[in-house]
Amino acid sequence: MTTVRSYGPGNPLVFSHIPKTAGTSLGAALEQVLGPEQAVRGGIDTSLFGGYDETEGVSAEMMAGVFYAPEALPADVSLVTAHVAPYTTMERYPGADHITVLRSPQVRLLSQWLHSRSLSELTLRHWGVAAEAFRTGRLPLREYLHHAKVAPSVDNTITRFLAYPHPLLQRTEFIPQEHDDELVAAAIARLDTFAHVNLVENPAFMKDLSEWLGTPLPEVQLNERTSVPPRFRPDLRAELDADTRAQLDYRCRLDIRVWQHVAERVLPDAHPDVVLE
């Protein structure tokens, strides 16, 4: 008989939500099943901060969801579903089970770019001067991929999120190739400490997670992306010319290796390159 895992104050289940990996739906499903009295729903730490980290004009509501140090996270929660790097939550909750799901890196990055383009000025007003980080998404894809002030959002984000706070990671610099192997190794080492890891591309990932958790998870579909305004709506065929596609692949080169590491375990009968394509 499968035992349902139990989580309580100070001993939470932590879903390390990598941006744009369908994690909003997964977080909602976990909350329905676990019914936590206290939870961290959303929020960020500094792991993916780029050069736009000023707080002038940022609303109090948004500031309340920024965790600058592990101890800023509340101690008495039983579920965490946030864009908070595993380093931060493992420091705060050393006995917690950590889970995550990865997504095809190029698709994840394109989804992030499109999401940034969908944000209205009405929404961005809450972020004060830091809203410039989101406005970079309105640039053509080629320029966005070269914008160093948002490097953590466009340059191997999955690897950065997992390897944080590795000393080779810089907020406004792209990762040089000579550091690839060390950072991939650091990301995989962190990932291998997780209780459960899967891929969006695995058709059975919700089933696998349900079996690990010990209880069925509901099918929850939450689409947090809003429509892209017509003036920011891109022609993806035109944006993804050969040079830009090559740059997209380059910005995802470490993430692809991390994704393939997971794919070898959860998709043993599929060739990772075929799934990615």
Side-chain angles (χ1 to χ4, degrees):
M1 181 177 178
T2 303
T3 302
V4 179
R5 281 171 165 76
S6 178
Y7 300 96
N11 181 37
L13 174 64
V14 177
F15 168 41
S16 299
H17 182 184
I18 300 166
K20 310 315 297 178
T21 56
T24 301
S25 298
L26 178 54
L30 290 169
E31 183 150 1
Q32 281 191 32
V33 166
L34 298 178
E37 292 186 13
Q38 299 292 333
V40 175
R41 304 173 181 89
I44 58 175
D45 64 357
T46 62
S47 58
L48 298 180
F49 273 22
Y52 298 106
D53 57 357
E54 301 92 343
T55 60
E56 180 184 349
V58 180
S59 70
E61 179 184 5
M62 293 301 177
M63 286 299 299
V66 181
F67 306 107
Y68 283 95
E71 56 270 20
L73 287 161
D76 58 351
V77 298
S78 50
L79 178 66
V80 179
T81 59
H83 297 310
V84 176
Y87 164 81
T88 303
T89 48
M90 287 177 179
E91 286 287 304
R92 184 57 163 151
Y93 314 111
D97 279 338
H98 280 66
I99 64 173
T100 195
V101 59
L102 277 57
R103 186 181 187 184
S104 169
Q106 294 97 323
V107 175
R108 191 216 66 80
L109 179 46
L110 288 173
S111 179
Q112 179 149 326
W113 176 60
L114 292 170
H115 175 72
S116 295
R117 296 174 80 85
S118 76
L119 298 175
S120 68
E121 286 300 316
L122 187 64
T123 298
L124 294 180
R125 76 191 191 283
H126 296 290
W127 285 103
V129 294
E132 287 305 310
F134 298 102
R135 294 191 183 99
T136 59
R138 299 172 182 175
L139 295 170
L141 181 60
R142 178 193 294 265
E143 295 180 35
Y144 182 65
L145 294 173
H146 286 85
H147 202 297
K149 289 197 78 173
V150 288
S153 294
V154 300
D155 180 37
N156 296 287
T157 298
I158 295 172
T159 302
R160 287 173 177 265
F161 186 77
L162 294 171
Y164 173 85
H166 198 287
L168 292 178
L169 294 173
Q170 303 299 321
R171 287 185 176 182
T172 57
E173 295 179 14
F174 298 117
I175 297 169
Q177 285 184 290
E178 59 264 29
H179 296 158
D180 284 9
D181 290 346
E182 184 171 347
L183 288 170
V184 168
I188 289 175
R190 178 86 69 190
L191 203 58
D192 286 347
T193 68
F194 275 52
H196 186 83
V197 179
N198 221 310
L199 302 176
V200 171
E201 292 75 24
N202 178 10
F205 98 83
M206 286 293 280
K207 175 177 175 290
D208 293 346
L209 181 56
S210 295
E211 290 178 354
W212 173 82
L213 191 61
T215 186
L217 285 167
E219 292 291 338
V220 178
Q221 295 293 330
L222 296 179
N223 188 354
E224 61 179 331
R225 184 184 63 199
T226 55
S227 296
V228 178
R231 66 193 180 108
F232 298 130
R233 195 171 298 157
D235 178 350
L236 280 177
R237 185 179 298 274
E239 293 277 355
L240 285 168
D241 59 76
D243 288 344
T244 304
R245 176 56 197 265
Q247 186 63 31
L248 176 68
D249 291 343
Y250 183 74
R251 289 285 182 250
C252 295
R253 67 191 189 279
L254 282 73
D255 288 355
I256 290 170
R257 291 170 61 181
V258 176
W259 184 95
Q260 289 172 331
H261 172 77
V262 178
E264 290 171 358
R265 292 190 298 184
V266 303
L267 295 172
D269 299 325
H271 193 289
D273 291 341
V274 174
V275 177
L276 278 175
E277 187 61 30

